[in-house]
Amino acid sequence: MQLLLLLLLAAAAARASSSDDPFLSGAQANHSYNIDCGGTSNFTSAFGRRWLSDRYFSAGGNAGMVAEPHRFPQPQERTLRFFPPSSAGKSSCYSLPLQSPGRYYLRVFTVYDNYDSKLRSPSFDVSAAATLVLSFRSPWPETAARYGAYSDLIFPSDDSGSGATDVCFYSLSTDAPVVASIEVAPVHPLAYDGASTGSGLVLVNYGRLTCGNSLFGPGFTNDSDAFSRVWQAGTDFRNNDLTYDAITAGGRKIFGSNQPPNYFPTKMYRSAVTTGGDDTNEIEYLMPVDTRMSYMVWLHFAEIDAGVRAPGQRVFDVMLAGKNVTRIDIFKQVGGFTAFKWTYIVENLTSSIMSVKLVPVVGRPILCGLENYAMVPLEMRTVPNQAAAMKALKDSLKIPARMGWNGDPCAPKRWDAWEGVTCHRGNKGLVITQLDLASQGLKGFITDEISHLTDLVSLNLSSNSLTGSLPPGLGQPSLATLDLSSNQFTGSIPGTIGSSKLQTVLLNSNQLDGQVPEVLYSVGVHGGVIDLSGNKGLCGVPTLPACALFWEKGGLNKTGKIALGASFGLLLLVILIVVYIVCIRRGPYDYDFEFPQDLTSISAISAKRNRYQRAKSVMLAEMEAHSTDGFYTNGGTH
């Protein structure tokens, strides 16, 4: 999908006013912010709007300045940030912190002005909410290249709970994407039919016109807009073969404007165009479009002619892309001096220019404003837990900026911007199926968050300088190929590594030790490929040394540690038993006394005397037991 951005506001329009930014209500200002890309300090505009110094951007970019800053009266237009792919990779992002999920208005100012002295404007794409929304192709129109162009859209924020939404820039060839300012403001959730179409769409502005006014809105005039929208003068989009007259409300109040959910500004309805000449003339605007997209068209009316006092005095047909889609009588719909808006979705366009035509039926047609939005469906994103796991891996593996690991790992699908990452469609979103990061100079470790990559089929981190132990989370049931060779991993191999799908295991040339799990070694037994060489501490399977009973590499192995623990536990149990016998089983009155020496001596003499008396008694008893004839008698009877 390519969207050729309608370059809304370029040289002449941008110079219509030297004012900076508009007034915003306090509540709106608390939820909006504006980034001066490349700027080094905060500042406040002439109308009290705060601009922040450059922040929230991914690594690898550089700050710059337009070649002729004197032609840019607004400070945020003079500075810029560009992302050379040699240092930033194919994708670079601004990760915008948003306070709550919802819909947001995004305005981006891009400018070239030969800042790099190459005389060639760059080609790049832009995504919001992981969806490709803008495309810039070299060469830009001269006015846009020299003075810059504003682009805006309405997008739903990321609902994954991360609290931030990425606006990403994708380099084509060797071109460096460039951006000068980024503005964000919340949009009412029901605005632009948000209840029925907004949650799954990005609305890209292909024309927001005020038909009876000159350019107005934030950044260009001292006029406010609840969503920070800018309304461009429609003169550049009229069919100039027709004649037009201007009409104003003459100071009369306009009812029904600036109301939720769209908050269309009152100023737009106070002026309008009508046809010049007789009542047979038409009003026609020619809007550039991409025929592959559908468009949401909004037309704005107000009967601001005091001479029209009843229904039927001004009636006209609306024709879009040559099709008569409705008949409008403003006074019949809402009465006089009251805002009236009408919307229609145009599909199946066959021309790159869409005609918006008002054809008179009674009287002359009238038009206050026109909006045309491309309806870009949200692209499928990486499932949230896998996206979070990939960002954790980015940190733990110390992925260099040149690899472009920014934004969503898998979306937009067209880009595959994360180098070495392969994704496929899953049941609930895009999933990571392959990581090939061999020989990238990585010096980190593998976080156990990798366990959330439950669809991973192949993991190759070979020939880096990764350290630490192998996490148990490497044991995904889906894994077929595991190559961690030529690193500096230590510790034992987790028993979780090994599944029926695992066919290749290369752990050679590391510093692993301990017994190899049988389930892992069985990969080779069943026809797969396994290489454990170059790990001096591994043992316990054929081709490797037998594991020592208790000791290995000068220390206790697992078996030794278990035996030591069991011995310590047994010793502790014996001690507890002794303590129990000595201290607990002893009665409360079982006391030991140390007798005086004289008592001890008397006791010893008495003990000897007692032993002599016992011996004599035994001897007499034996003699009496025999009769005089020498036969043994029982009880003294013969």
Side-chain angles (χ1 to χ4, degrees), residues 587-627:
Y589 301 105
D590 294 341
Y591 300 109
D592 290 330
F593 295 96
E594 182 177 356
F595 294 100
Q597 182 63 35
D598 53 346
L599 292 178
T600 302
S601 301
I602 295 173
S603 297
I605 295 171
S606 299
K608 291 179 180 179
R609 184 176 298 160
N610 290 337
R611 285 197 298 270
Y612 170 78
Q613 293 295 335
R614 285 196 299 271
K616 179 179 179 181
S617 299
V618 171
M619 181 182 67
L620 291 176
E622 290 179 351
M623 293 175 62
E624 292 175 357
H626 294 81
S627 62

Side-chain angles (χ1 to χ4, degrees), residues 27 47 69 73 182 218 221 269 279 357-358 383 385 473 494 511 521 559 561 606 610 631:
F47 295 103
I182 296 176
T221 68
Y269 294 103
D279 291 348
K357 184 183 293 186
L358 307 184
V383 294
N385 65 331
Q511 301 171 23
Y521 186 75
T559 305
K561 292 176 181 177
S606 299
N610 290 337
F631 290 96

Side-chain angles (χ1 to χ4, degrees), residues 272-554:
V273 294
T274 186
T275 58
D278 58 41
D279 291 348
T280 62
N281 283 342
E282 303 168 342
I283 294 175
E284 185 177 26
Y285 285 83
L286 304 174
M287 310 300 295
V289 292
D290 185 331
T291 56
R292 291 166 293 184
M293 306 301 300
S294 298
Y295 288 82
M296 180 183 290
V297 178
W298 288 75
L299 299 181
H300 300 280
F301 309 99
E303 186 51 79
I304 56 176
D305 184 351
V308 177
R309 297 186 176 90
Q313 293 182 343
R314 191 193 306 274
V315 181
F316 53 89
D317 290 336
V318 176
M319 299 186 67
L320 298 178
K323 179 182 178 181
N324 193 330
V325 293
T326 191
R327 177 166 289 181
I328 289 180
D329 183 338
I330 304 171
F331 199 96
K332 181 179 179 180
Q333 292 287 340
V334 295
F337 296 93
T338 302
F340 173 60
K341 57 268 185 191
W342 176 86
T343 185
Y344 188 84
I345 294 177
V346 182
E347 301 175 303
N348 303 318
L349 291 166
T350 59
S351 172
S352 60
I353 299 295
M354 179 177 65
S355 170
V356 179
K357 184 183 293 186
L358 307 184
V359 180
V361 176
V362 178
R364 297 188 295 173
I366 188 175
L367 182 62
C368 295
L370 165 62
E371 295 177 272
N372 186 33
Y373 294 97
M375 303 172 65
V376 183
L378 282 179
E379 294 194 37
M380 184 175 287
R381 309 183 194 185
T382 306
V383 294
N385 65 331
Q386 294 202 18
M390 289 298 292
K391 292 177 180 178
L393 276 172
K394 175 185 176 181
D395 294 336
S396 72
L397 295 176
K398 301 186 186 303
I399 299 294
R402 59 175 170 77
M403 296 185 68
W405 279 35
N406 302 300
D408 190 286
C410 300
K413 189 66 172 66
R414 166 185 169 184
W415 271 100
D416 293 331
W418 283 39
E419 185 175 342
V421 179
T422 302
C423 303
H424 286 87
R425 181 185 293 266
N427 294 330
K428 297 182 179 180
L430 299 175
V431 296
I432 289 87
T433 57
Q434 182 174 338
L435 293 179
D436 186 357
L437 305 175
S439 303
Q440 294 294 340
L442 307 180
K443 298 181 180 180
F445 65 96
I446 303 176
T447 173
D448 199 48
E449 292 294 312
I450 199 171
S451 63
H452 295 296
L453 303 184
T454 53
D455 301 274
L456 193 62
V457 175
S458 175
L459 175 63
N460 185 356
L461 300 176
S462 62
S463 301
N464 287 293
S465 299
L466 299 175
T467 60
S469 59
L470 302 183
L474 280 173
Q476 296 94 331
S478 59
L479 198 62
T481 300
L482 177 64
D483 187 354
L484 304 179
S485 60
S486 300
N487 278 285
Q488 300 170 22
F489 291 115
T490 58
S492 59
I493 301 175
T496 56
I497 299 179
S499 70
S500 59
K501 294 183 179 180
L502 197 57
Q503 295 296 313
T504 302
V505 181
L506 305 178
L507 299 177
N508 51 293
S509 301
N510 279 285
Q511 301 171 23
L512 300 171
D513 57 32
Q515 185 165 2
V516 177
E518 292 184 7
V519 66
L520 180 63
Y521 186 75
S522 66
V523 171
V525 175
H526 293 92
V529 177
I530 183 169
D531 189 349
L532 303 174
S533 63
N535 293 280
K536 295 182 179 180
L538 290 179
C539 61
V541 296
T543 74
L544 294 177
C547 294
L549 182 60
F550 293 119
W551 298 90
E552 64 180 17
K553 295 180 66 176

